[in-house]
Amino acid sequence: MKILVVDDEADVQPLFTQLFRKEIRKGEVELNFALSGEDALSFLTTGISEVVLILSDINMPGMSGLELLQNIREQHPLAPPLVMMITAYGDPENLQRALDLGADDFLTKPLDFNKLKEKIRNIEYNG
Amino acid sequence: MSLFPFLTILFLVQYLNKKLKGSSVYPKWKDIFLIVQFIIVALLVVEAVTSSRPWFNWIWNFLLFVSIGAVLKVHEFRKARPVIVAVLPMFFVALVEDSVKLLNRDFYERWDDYFSAATFFAVVWLLAFVFIIRKQQKAQEQELLRRLAEDAQNRIIAERKAALEIEVQERTGELLAQKEELEKIVLQLQATQTQLVQQEKLASLGELTAGIAHEIQNPLNFVNNFAEVSAELLEELKAGPLQNISESDKEYADEILQDLKQNLSKIVFHGKRADGIVKGMLMHSRTNTGKKEPTDINALADEYLRLSYHGLRAKDKSFNSAMHTDLDPSVGMVEAVPQDIGRVLLNIFNNAFYSVSEKKKIQPETYGPAVWVSSRKIVSENGTEMLELVIRDNGMGIPETVLEKLYQPFFTTKPAGQGTGLGLSISYDIITKGHNGEMKVDSKEGEFAEFTILLPLA
């Protein structure tokens, strides 16, 4: 399963790589990273990717996670990827807006790894 | 010629009568004057009927003499004495004329014209005096009238002055009342200003707190997440590559792994602790975002009172406290965020029970811990109906130096690790910013602490 993680914090990359170490080794998961919304969009338009799941932060400089979500929903109406938004604790406004824009699920920071893995497992079974 | 003495006496009597009129002795003399007048009229009639005789003149002269003497001698007539000057010539002319007539008839007849002239002059003299007296009297009357008018005017002026005095007093009273009212308003304004400054300070402190929390959140998340991942990696390391090393090395490696694991769990523990604080701080930024619904504050207060009490009992079996509720059911529903109000109540109740339990530790024998909660409907200064919830405990009380810092974030009197100092500061934000209410505190150190929450009912 291809997962695109969008976050302006570069340290998210080693964190996720280490977190999914076993899955990556087994070839169950393939992680891609983008440092901004713009990066994420260009990555998606290269076409080669068949990203199933996008994990995106909301608060990013430039294109925000919400704008990215909006763009994805507009550009990929067919076979849309699942989008999971990562929101900061205690930010009900962004949560509501993400829901309105068509986010599939939410994660709150700090990330609960067990919950994240469980959600991904559910996608694998259902998808 | 008896007409002149008659008229003279009549004039004198009339004059005295006029002079005495109005005095206290007048009634006594009035009758005498009447009798005298009657006598002289009678005498004149007798003289006219019985043809004139020379000695008759002497009766008149005697009467005139007595009259003049009376005026000069009687004390009560002293004011009329100057009039004697008017009648004296007449008296002397009559006396001399009659004397000459009696002694030397021839001489009299020869000088008859002169005597007539003298009599004429005496009469003129008298008339002149009468005229002058009349004039004086008129002048006096006028003077009297003038004085009466002046008195009346003075009286009017006095009345007007009194009226003005009253008016001035009224005005002064009004001004004084206004001044007092203004002073009161100034004091109120000053109090409001201090309150506003305090509110502003607390609001900006709340914002600052939330801002700091927001900034710390991300780095802290990394710390927590990396520590967790590292712990997992250690497990993997232990289960995987490390299985293949020699037994002695394994033991050595295990020891280090154990320490590393412990360190990571410490990082996770304290990271979570910091995360808890950050979450508390972030509460400041979301005190007015919850959804408001009609809330039964009484039920909420009762529920959280019990919740707080049993929470403390679970930690400390020996703890006990009396609870008194006086909740007025007529306060009805309040538009509020139940969870937020619950958080405030739990905070205050927890503090109250903590305070009474601390006091019980100091005075185990004599002290009876108690917590009161009461509600009622009040009308605030600006006329809006409000619910007043009062929570009181007879615990340690709050020192005055602490009172003003009570709502500041991170201010706590509890030992390190037992309180973040965010409870009351968030409570304050929830009540004031989130619900447009008021939160007040009253306390006496060592005796009681009383929190009052006001929430608008409309």
Side-chain angles (χ1 to χ4, degrees), chain B residues 337-348:
Chain B
V337 186
Q339 308 92 287
D340 285 356
I341 298 293
R343 168 187 286 269
V344 173
L345 292 173
L346 194 63
N347 230 302
I348 298 174

Side-chain angles (χ1 to χ4, degrees), chain A residues 62-83:
Chain A
M63 186 185 288
S64 77
L66 292 171
E67 286 170 278
L68 173 65
L69 174 62
Q70 202 171 4
N71 275 311
I72 292 168
R73 287 292 175 246
E74 281 166 10
Q75 291 174 21
H76 302 272
L78 298 169
L82 289 170
V83 179

Side-chain angles (χ1 to χ4, degrees), chain A residues 54-112:
Chain A
I54 296 170
L55 287 173
S56 175
D57 188 21
I58 287 182
N59 282 318
M60 289 184 290
M63 186 185 288
S64 77
L66 292 171
E67 286 170 278
L68 173 65
L69 174 62
Q70 202 171 4
N71 275 311
I72 292 168
R73 287 292 175 246
E74 281 166 10
Q75 291 174 21
H76 302 272
L78 298 169
L82 289 170
V83 179
M84 236 183 251
M85 302 305 288
I86 303 171
T87 64
Y89 171 81
D91 195 355
E93 283 168 44
N94 276 335
L95 199 134
Q96 187 57 46
R97 279 189 61 204
L99 256 181
D100 295 341
L101 289 170
D104 296 291
D105 208 343
F106 298 93
L107 290 167
T108 40
K109 287 182 177 179
L111 287 174
D112 184 331

Side-chain angles (χ1 to χ4, degrees), chain A residues 110, chain B residues 216-225 270-272 274-276 278:
Chain B
I216 292 177
Q217 211 181 10
N218 276 339
L220 187 61
N221 286 341
F222 277 118
V223 171
N224 285 332
N225 286 338
H270 290 285
K272 288 270 152 70
D275 192 56
V278 165

